[in-house]
Amino acid sequence: MKIESIKQELIPGSKTILTRVNINQVESSCILSRLIIDTLGKPGIDNDLKFIGSGDQWEVFWTEPKLTIEQTKKLINKALATFD
């Protein structure tokens, strides 16, 4: 699994930043979900994670926790590295 891109954008009409991480070469969406949840916490409790995708292309996005692009890159790479 590899990060394809990381983007942050302001949600129109708010001061909320949406973080989007595109991940490719995903062998298992279940494993990806577990790695991300283990890293960022439980959806609905610690964050507002959403997963969209199919096959080997997945996008993970959230507004909480608030992280910079660099922090996001480090955390997600660390999570994905535990699978390799």
Side-chain angles (χ1 to χ4, degrees):
M1 289 185 267
K2 287 178 58 176
I3 293 175
E4 184 176 302
S5 66
I6 299 174
K7 298 177 184 171
Q8 290 184 323
E9 59 191 66
L10 186 62
I11 296 175
S14 75
K15 294 181 180 182
T16 304
I17 301 289
L18 178 69
T19 300
R20 295 176 178 264
V21 180
N22 287 299
I23 301 172
N24 61 19
Q25 301 176 17
V26 176
E27 295 175 29
S28 168
S29 60
C30 293
I31 292 172
L32 172 65
S33 299
R34 176 54 44 209
L35 294 173
I36 301 299
I37 289 168
D38 286 348
T39 301
L40 296 177
K42 295 180 182 177
I45 296 172
D46 303 313
N47 58 55
D48 57 355
L49 286 173
K50 302 290 182 202
F51 295 85
I52 296 179
S54 65
D56 68 349
Q57 284 288 127
W58 284 83
E59 181 176 40
V60 183
F61 57 102
W62 68 86
T63 60
E64 293 290 334
K66 292 175 176 47
L67 302 168
T68 65
I69 289 179
E70 192 57 37
Q71 289 170 321
T72 299
K73 183 177 180 180
K74 285 180 184 177
L75 280 176
I76 301 302
N77 276 327
K78 182 178 178 182
L80 298 180
T82 63
F83 180 68
D84 288 337

